[in-house]
Amino acid sequence: MHNIEKSADTQIERFTQREETLLHTDFSQSPTLLDGFLHPELFEISPIGSYTSRSEIVNWLLAKSPTQRWHLSQFKVVELAADTMLVCYQANSISDGVVKATGSLRSSIWRFHDQQWRLQFHQATKN
């Protein structure tokens, strides 16, 4: 059985770090690192309302600009089960050091799988 820290601040810190790592890491240099973050059954609902498969998400993560940065804020973490967390936050892209006023409200479901937290579901809604 795994030991999951129950502190809300610890949970927010843990999942903020995992979300930021997914967005900011240049996985093209080490694509196998993605397996430590992505659940085998991962899928996404895109901002335009379509389903995105795990392989499409992997392709996006490998092709994204390594210099693109995001400002993540307003984190909420809700324990759905001992091994399942819902993470919601606001994401705004940063351009020339300036955080864009518009962005997306995001939700992720993270599952504890093979001894680590892995992203199983993601949705982004533009705002």
Side-chain angles (χ1 to χ4, degrees), residues 64-84:
K64 70 181 173 53
S65 168
T67 59
Q68 174 62 56
R69 290 294 174 260
W70 300 86
H71 174 72
L72 307 183
S73 62
Q74 302 174 29
F75 268 83
K76 294 179 181 19
V77 177
V78 177
E79 182 178 348
L80 301 177
D83 67 345
T84 308

Side-chain angles (χ1 to χ4, degrees), residues 9-74:
D9 289 341
T10 301
Q11 294 292 27
I12 288 171
E13 184 178 313
R14 170 183 290 130
F15 292 106
T16 298
Q17 189 270 334
R18 292 196 74 76
E19 294 280 355
E20 286 177 339
T21 298
L22 276 175
L23 286 171
H24 294 154
T25 301
D26 181 2
F27 288 104
S28 67
Q29 302 303 308
S30 304
T32 56
L33 289 177
L34 280 172
D35 285 333
F37 284 88
L38 306 181
H39 192 279
E41 298 171 10
L42 171 66
F43 71 99
E44 173 183 70
I45 298 175
S46 75
I48 60 169
S50 61
Y51 283 104
T52 306
S53 69
R54 185 185 195 277
S55 62
E56 291 169 310
I57 295 165
V58 167
N59 290 339
W60 182 84
L61 287 166
L62 293 176
K64 70 181 173 53
S65 168
T67 59
Q68 174 62 56
R69 290 294 174 260
W70 300 86
H71 174 72
L72 307 183
S73 62
Q74 302 174 29

Side-chain angles (χ1 to χ4, degrees), residues 89-103:
Y89 59 95
Q90 175 68 38
N92 297 71
S93 63
I94 300 172
S95 181
D96 296 324
V98 178
V99 178
K100 283 186 152 184
T102 59

